[in-house]
């Protein structure tokens, strides 16, 4: 299927303006197919030819101004239209296929109770899989939607829904929306309603999660209300889309999707087991991110996908900021340093790095490839820098002007820059050129009492940084704000003897930070005493980056972990560091058999034993420890009553223990089946898939692999679980044949699945622990051939960059 190009989109915008869509769906025609009728009222400025987008199972009829058009003209999802100037009415009736990969109209059956649920995901190219439409962001229109659904179902969407007779639903007319925002969520959902500041709020989840949604409702509604208050004050425009529904839906690919008035979330965000506080904090930020989009993205929408970054960077920045300022979750910027920035810094140093802005998406599909750590994390960090550069008053005044000027329409980065200039910003073009139109991070290094700024080799740039230099010594903690505007910036201090001099100690900019020799020497003895968790996050970000560059040795990294982990007070930091240790440090950078594993495990065990019993910190330490435990008897004990005191062995802790046992070959299929009897939920079923794939047996690996590369009937979550359970560093011999098979079999997966699922599967299924020159040669020769399409190529190329890095670290060791 061709993806719409920017030139095609421009031509259609020149020709058409859309007045309205009347959508009518029938969801009562079985579990494979639904009926779709779209009536589009639009006008053409002149005579011309164009096409409407529709990707049906069966195109039943098309009427243009009451005259039939031959459906056999449909080719590659496009039906040509020859139009005269004036008003038109196009009616498209089709049978459409339900999907099971989270794109289009996803339908799933909950194994806990056999109830069925559907939701529409129209992002990027998926809307024509549900309705006939002119599918591009800058052809906005109002929607009047009707749905026929099985009786007993609830239907929600972008405007308030009314059940006018049993099973027959009518939604109010929506405000003007881009096609990729249109959605419905339908099924026997469990719903809870509240009101905040005159806005009707709804939250929804499957029946099998009902009691967990009830338990989490107060927290979700509280955070939602806090965000509305904060955004109303910051943006100066009231929430513009009527009711605000948040639906936690099955098998959702992303964290969430910002459909106006009806946000869809992955339903793991309804917690059915105890979770560390960092997880609750993270959910709050997902909620806030989608709420920021209601203004920035939904009310004012990018003209084309090349400004997608702007939506994401802005929503990301706002979510962290509002979470920190307006809620009880105080760890937002701690998580940003440990998790999001690390993700972004890796992305910004791969060969696929790109400028934050102007990624130049020639078509919608290629925009997806840049939906990465740069668009989210780097973009947010850069907006944080801009805020520091402009000051908050100018920053927010510019945003308000932008939202007011372009409400219900489309805008570009240039429009936003104009709004900031009108609000008083100076020299913004030079700033934007330096930060938004360049790629790669500067390196900031302390040498002889000065801070040296070095842009990436081959990518010259002159970026201003505003950051805090933090001096930590026995005489106290001192901060100085530094404006780094030249290549060498004198520092006000040398490090205190035996102390630390932390560049960007508040984690405010975007750079590779390198410490001076005195600080590096003092770090092992001082790290545990650094009291600000954001500073610790900034220190770790720099350390992990230096380890990846083979500038800090693996044994030093392990020493630092052993010093830091037993004293780390933020559960999100424990989780992030443990995850890095058990996947990257041990597994990719060095063999799993090394003594490093036991040392890191001992430090996590120390954290577990000294954390308050029953705390999120204790749980985070336990979850981080599990992949490093190779003693089956100990692990079995956790399941049978001798878990560490205070740990509650509920479903989401029992399954990781069982997965680790499976990886070690210490459970049978019967053990997995019996755990599934204990937890017969949708989530349990996915855990069981992962467990079976982890078993170190030829037949288990064979079944799993055939599922990943050959079975298009599996759901997206089943495929991901197979990939996650497949590769382990200690199963190298058994898995050796699959290194070749990955490169041979992968191209066929592009025909099995679509969009994000293809890219995600390629990434998760990569043989990440087969760190050898042979794997690299296989990868390079595959990438140079023609078998990999664009969706696969980017995923594989990124993993190959990681492989090169691991090889370099191993060579240096
Ligand atoms: Zn977003």
């Amino acid at each position: 299927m061709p993806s719409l190009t920017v030139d095609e989109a421009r031509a259609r915008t020149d020709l058409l303006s859309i007045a309205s869509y009347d959508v009518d769906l029938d969801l009562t025609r079985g579990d494979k197919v639904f009926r779709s009728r779209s009536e589009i009222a639009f006008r053409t400025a002149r005579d011309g030819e164009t096409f409407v987008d529709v990707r049906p199972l069966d195109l039943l009829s098309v009427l243009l101004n009451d005259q039939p058009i031959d459906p056999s003209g449909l080719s590659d999802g496009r039906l040509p239209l020859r139009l005269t100037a004036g008003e038109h009415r196009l009616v498209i009736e089709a049978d459409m296929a339900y999907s099971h990969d989270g794109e289009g109209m996803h339908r799933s059956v909950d194994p806990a109770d056999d109830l069925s649920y559907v939701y529409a995901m129209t992002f990027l190219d998926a809307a024509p899989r549900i309705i006939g439409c002119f599918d591009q962001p800058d052809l906005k229109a109002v929607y009047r939607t009707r749905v026929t659904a099985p009786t007993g179902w609830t239907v929600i969407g972008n405007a308030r829904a009314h059940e006018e007779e049993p099973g027959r639903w009518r939604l109010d007319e929506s405000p003007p929306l881009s096609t990729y925002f249109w959605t419905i969520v339908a099924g026997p959902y469990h719903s809870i309603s509240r009101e905040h500041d005159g806005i009707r709020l709804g939250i929804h989840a499957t029946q099998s999660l009902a009691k967990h949604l009830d338990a989490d409702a107060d927290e979700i509604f509280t955070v939602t209300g806090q965000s509305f208050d904060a955004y109303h004050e910051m943006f100066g425009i009231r929430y513009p889309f009527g009711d605000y529904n948040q639906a936690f839906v099955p098998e959702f690919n992303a964290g969430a999707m910002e459909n106006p008035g009806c946000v869809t979330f992955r339903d793991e965000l309804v917690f059915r087991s105890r979770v560390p506080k960092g997880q609750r904090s993270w959910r709050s930020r997902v909620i806030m991110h989608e709420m920021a989009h209601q203004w920035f993205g939904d009310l004012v929408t990018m003209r084309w996908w090349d400004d997608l970054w702007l939506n994401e960077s802005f929503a990301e920045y706002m979510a962290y900021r509002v979470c920190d300022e307006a809620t009880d979750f105080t760890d937002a910027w701690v998580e940003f340093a440990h998790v999001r920035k690390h993700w972004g810094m890796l992305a910004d140093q791969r060969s696929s790095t790109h400028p934050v802005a102007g990624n130049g998406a020639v078509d919608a599909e290629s925009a997806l490839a840049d939906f990465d750590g740069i668009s989210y994390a780097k973009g947010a960090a850069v907006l944080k820098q801009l805020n520091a550069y402009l000051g908050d008053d100018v920053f927010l005044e510019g945003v308000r002007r932008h939202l007011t000027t372009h409400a219900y329409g489309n805008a570009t980065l240039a429009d936003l820059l104009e709004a900031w200039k009108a609000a008083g910003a100076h020299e913004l073009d030079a700033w934007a050129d330096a930060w938004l139109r360049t790629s790669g991070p500067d390196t900031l290094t302390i040498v002889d009492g000065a801070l040296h700024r070095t842009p990436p080799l081959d990518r010259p740039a002159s970026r201003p940084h505003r950051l805090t230099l933090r001096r930590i010594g026995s005489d106290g903690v001192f901060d100085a704000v530094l404006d780094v505007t030249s290549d060498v910036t004198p520092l006000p201090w040398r490090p205190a003897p035996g102390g630390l001099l932390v560049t960007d100690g508040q984690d405010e900019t975007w750079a590779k930070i390198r410490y001076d020799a005195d600080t590096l020497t003092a770090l092992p003895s001082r790290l545990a005493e650094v009291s600000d968790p954001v500073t610790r996050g900034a220190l770790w970000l720099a350390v992990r980056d230096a380890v990846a560059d083979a500038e800090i040795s693996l044994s030093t990294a392990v020493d630092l972990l052993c010093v830091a982990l037993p004293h780390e007070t933020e559960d999100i930091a424990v989780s992030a560091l443990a995850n890095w240790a058990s996947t990257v440090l041990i597994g990719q950078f060095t063999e799993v058999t090394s003594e490093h594993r036991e040392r890191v495990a001992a430090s996590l065990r120390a954290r577990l034993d000294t954390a308050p019993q029953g705390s999120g910190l204790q749980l985070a330490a336990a979850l981080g420890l599990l992949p490093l435990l190779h003693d089956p008897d100990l692990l079995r004990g956790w399941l049978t009553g001798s878990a560490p005191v205070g740990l509650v062995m509920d479903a989401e802790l029992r399954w990781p223990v069982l997965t680790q046992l499976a990886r070690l070959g210490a459970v049978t299929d019967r053990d997995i089946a019996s755990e599934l009897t204990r937890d017969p939920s949708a989530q349990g079923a996915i855990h069981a898939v992962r467990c079976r794939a982890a078993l170190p047996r030829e037949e288990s690996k064979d079944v799993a692999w055939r599922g990943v590369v050959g079975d298009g009937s599996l759901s997206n979550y089943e495929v991901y679980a197979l990939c996650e359970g497949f590769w382990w560093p200690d199963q190298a011999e058994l898995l050796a044949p699959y290194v070749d098979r990955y490169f041979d079999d992968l191209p066929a997966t592009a025909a099995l699945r679509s969009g994000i699922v293809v890219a995600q599967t390629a990434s998760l299924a990569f043989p990440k622990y087969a760190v050898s020159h042979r794997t690299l040669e296989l990868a390079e020769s595959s990438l140079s051939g023609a078998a990999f399409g664009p969706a696969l190529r980017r995923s594989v190329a990124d993993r190959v960059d990681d492989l090169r890095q691991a090889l370099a670290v191993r060579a240096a060791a």
Side-chain angles (χ1 to χ4, degrees):
M1 294 277 179
S3 183
L4 188 76
T5 67
V6 61
D7 293 339
E8 290 167 337
R10 297 251 158 85
R12 239 174 14 185
T13 311
D14 280 349
L15 186 65
L16 306 178
S17 57
I18 319 295
S20 65
Y21 285 88
D22 282 277
V23 173
D24 198 339
L25 302 178
D26 183 356
L27 306 179
T28 63
R29 306 175 80 89
D31 59 0
K32 300 279 190 292
V33 175
F34 63 97
R35 177 68 53 88
S36 161
R37 182 182 187 278
S38 315
E39 182 173 333
I40 313 171
F42 64 101
R43 94 185 282 350
T44 41
R46 51 186 163 74
D47 294 359
E49 290 182 18
T50 186
F51 56 89
V52 66
D53 303 298
V54 59
R55 297 184 178 185
L57 208 55
D58 191 5
L59 185 56
L60 302 172
S61 72
V62 183
L63 293 174
L64 177 62
N65 304 323
D66 297 322
Q67 298 300 310
I69 291 182
D70 183 1
S72 68
L74 180 69
S75 171
D76 269 349
R78 297 173 171 191
L79 185 71
L81 300 174
R82 183 166 295 174
L83 300 163
T84 52
E87 310 285 335
H88 301 283
R89 200 172 66 94
L90 180 66
V91 182
I92 299 171
E93 209 165 337
D95 278 341
M96 301 280 191
Y98 288 113
S99 74
H100 41 256
D101 63 5
E103 315 236 313
M105 188 72 92
H106 182 92
R107 186 178 191 283
S108 63
V109 179
D110 189 335
D113 50 20
D114 285 333
L115 294 174
S116 303
Y117 297 89
V118 302
Y119 60 84
M121 176 63 168
T122 48
F123 180 68
L124 272 182
D125 283 336
R129 292 167 64 174
I130 305 172
I131 55 175
C133 56
F134 297 103
D135 188 23
Q136 62 190 69
D138 63 344
L139 286 174
K140 288 191 173 184
V142 302
Y143 286 79
R144 293 176 291 266
T145 301
R146 289 173 182 273
V147 178
T148 303
T151 49
W153 280 27
T154 297
V155 175
I156 56 173
N158 306 103
R160 188 173 295 178
H162 312 271
E163 190 173 20
E164 297 194 314
E165 52 188 276
R168 187 66 181 150
W169 295 76
R170 178 185 61 78
L171 276 66
D172 290 342
E173 182 177 295
S174 76
L177 307 177
S178 303
T179 39
Y180 83 97
F181 294 138
W182 178 87
T183 194
I184 58 147
V185 173
Y189 281 92
H190 173 68
S191 302
I192 308 171
S193 305
R194 297 269 173 93
E195 194 174 298
H196 177 82
D197 189 16
I199 301 165
R200 191 195 285 188
L201 310 177
I203 57 174
H204 315 265
T206 58
Q207 287 296 333
S208 62
L209 288 171
K211 69 171 192 271
H212 307 297
L213 188 71
D214 290 347
D216 281 358
D218 281 347
E219 184 176 300
I220 293 170
F221 283 125
T222 297
V223 164
T224 305
Q226 288 167 329
S227 306
F228 269 129
D229 294 347
Y231 289 140
H232 282 151
E233 192 179 330
M234 280 197 274
F235 300 150
I237 299 174
R238 274 192 64 82
Y239 167 68
F241 294 107
D243 300 345
Y244 193 66
N245 284 292
Q246 299 179 92
F248 297 86
V249 299
E251 299 176 323
F252 199 71
N253 280 314
M257 173 66 205
E258 65 266 24
N259 317 297
C262 186
V263 174
T264 37
F265 294 80
R266 58 167 53 225
D267 67 6
E268 288 110 317
L269 290 173
V270 178
F271 301 126
R272 64 197 196 102
S273 294
R274 285 162 186 76
V275 290
K277 185 170 174 229
Q279 285 290 311
R280 296 188 171 278
S281 177
W282 166 247
R283 176 175 67 192
S284 299
R285 284 189 293 286
V286 178
I287 289 171
M288 292 169 175
H289 177 113
E290 305 312 322
M291 290 180 74
H293 275 316
Q294 302 298 312
W295 285 264
F296 206 105
D298 295 4
L299 180 64
V300 178
T301 307
M302 73 220 154
R303 187 165 300 287
W304 179 245
W305 299 108
D306 58 354
D307 270 337
L308 186 60
W309 71 273
L310 193 53
N311 280 1
E312 297 312 337
S313 306
F314 188 85
E316 178 104 340
Y317 167 70
M318 279 296 160
Y320 281 85
R321 174 180 169 156
V322 171
C323 189
D324 183 60
E325 292 174 358
T327 80
D328 296 336
F329 294 107
T330 53
D331 62 350
W333 293 114
V334 182
E335 184 262 330
F336 192 66
H338 277 284
V339 181
R340 298 300 266 190
K341 269 186 107 167
H342 184 246
W343 175 47
M345 287 297 285
L346 290 174
D348 204 18
Q349 296 180 73
R350 293 197 184 102
S351 42
S352 61
T353 186
H354 53 86
V356 176
N359 52 22
V362 292
D363 60 27
E365 191 181 323
S366 62
L368 186 64
D370 288 336
F371 217 63
D372 57 11
I374 294 171
S375 292
Y376 286 82
K378 182 177 180 182
V382 169
L383 286 178
K384 200 178 174 191
Q385 271 292 296
L386 179 64
N387 182 277
Y389 180 75
L390 298 180
D392 204 36
D393 290 346
V394 172
F395 183 88
L396 287 179
E397 176 58 24
V399 171
R400 277 185 218 113
R401 282 169 184 259
H402 182 71
L403 293 172
T404 307
T405 308
H406 303 286
Y408 301 107
N410 297 81
T412 63
L413 170 62
D415 295 322
L416 180 59
L417 295 178
E418 285 310 312
W420 270 320
K421 287 181 204 165
H426 301 294
E427 295 174 37
L428 195 56
D429 290 327
W431 185 93
D433 284 345
W435 271 109
L436 301 177
R437 300 198 171 89
T438 60
S439 57
D442 288 339
T443 303
L444 301 178
T445 315
I446 295 178
V447 184
D448 294 335
L451 189 66
H452 291 246
R453 179 189 67 182
T454 317
L457 275 174
D458 312 331
R459 275 173 299 194
S462 180
R463 302 180 189 89
H465 298 258
R466 175 168 289 184
L467 54 87
T468 302
L469 178 73
R470 177 161 282 188
R471 181 180 183 272
I472 303 171
S474 46
D475 52 344
V477 177
F478 303 91
D479 285 347
V481 174
L482 290 187
D483 274 309
V484 179
T485 53
S486 58
D487 291 344
V488 181
T489 306
L491 299 182
W493 311 300
R494 298 252 167 181
L500 308 175
L501 197 54
V502 188
T503 313
D504 200 18
Q506 290 283 278
D507 196 33
E508 292 154 308
T509 193
W510 183 264
K512 290 163 76 74
I513 305 292
R514 291 295 182 266
Y515 300 117
D516 66 295
D518 292 340
T519 294
L520 280 177
T521 307
L523 203 50
S525 59
R526 284 283 180 172
L527 184 54
E529 300 164 25
V530 175
S531 59
D532 182 341
V534 173
T535 306
R536 294 200 299 275
L539 279 162
W540 272 112
L541 188 64
V543 167
R544 289 158 79 186
D545 188 64
V547 171
D549 286 351
E551 291 173 19
I552 289 181
S553 73
L554 298 179
S555 58
T556 302
V558 171
D559 289 346
L560 289 171
L561 283 169
C562 291
V563 167
L565 280 171
H567 301 282
E568 180 54 60
T569 54
E570 297 292 324
D571 60 44
I572 189 65
V574 170
S575 300
L577 293 173
N579 182 50
W580 176 65
S582 66
T583 55
V584 179
L585 202 61
I586 300 155
Q588 291 177 13
F589 288 176
T590 186
E591 300 293 334
V592 72
T593 49
S594 73
E595 53 152 342
H596 296 326
R597 178 177 62 77
E598 288 184 15
R599 292 190 61 214
V600 177
S603 69
L604 282 163
R605 181 71 210 216
R607 180 66 288 183
L608 192 163
D609 289 338
T610 55
Q613 290 176 10
S615 66
L617 192 56
Q618 188 191 33
L619 178 55
L623 287 165
L625 173 62
L626 283 174
L628 297 166
L629 289 181
H630 284 207
D631 177 350
D633 292 335
L634 179 69
L635 288 160
R636 248 183 245 112
W638 283 34
L639 294 178
T640 53
S642 46
V645 179
L647 276 187
V648 179
M649 294 303 298
D650 48 21
E652 293 295 331
L653 186 50
R654 289 184 64 87
W655 280 111
V657 175
L658 203 73
T659 305
Q660 181 67 0
L661 280 164
R663 159 192 179 179
L664 299 172
V667 290
T668 62
D669 290 315
R670 190 183 297 180
D671 295 325
I672 298 170
S674 111
E675 192 66 28
L676 195 52
T677 307
R678 191 187 176 112
D679 174 23
S681 64
Q683 294 78 5
I686 295 300
H687 280 297
V689 168
R690 191 181 297 107
C691 269
R692 287 190 209 102
L695 289 167
R697 294 192 315 224
E698 273 180 28
E699 62 273 29
S700 302
K701 297 299 181 188
D702 180 55
V703 168
W705 193 254
R706 283 190 282 117
V708 173
V709 302
D711 189 348
S713 73
L714 296 177
S715 77
N716 49 339
Y717 275 28
E718 287 171 311
V719 176
Y720 301 156
L722 288 174
C723 297
E724 288 157 357
F726 196 82
W727 295 103
W728 299 101
D730 37 310
Q731 296 179 1
E733 205 174 317
L734 174 68
L735 294 171
Y738 292 95
V739 178
D740 291 70
R741 288 186 63 178
Y742 173 84
F743 298 104
D744 292 341
D745 296 347
L746 196 68
T749 62
L752 294 178
R753 306 177 186 108
S754 61
I756 192 171
V757 193
V758 176
Q760 180 79 349
T761 302
S763 190
L764 289 172
F766 188 86
K768 61 181 171 181
Y769 299 118
V771 180
S772 72
H773 287 281
R774 183 165 183 282
T775 309
L776 184 60
E777 281 159 24
L778 282 171
E780 284 172 341
S781 93
S782 298
L783 284 173
S784 66
F788 288 2
L792 291 174
R793 187 171 295 277
R794 168 68 188 272
S795 285
V796 176
D798 283 355
R799 297 288 77 74
V800 173
D801 276 356
D802 297 349
L803 172 63
R804 282 194 194 96
Q805 182 179 67
L807 283 167
V809 171
R810 286 188 176 207

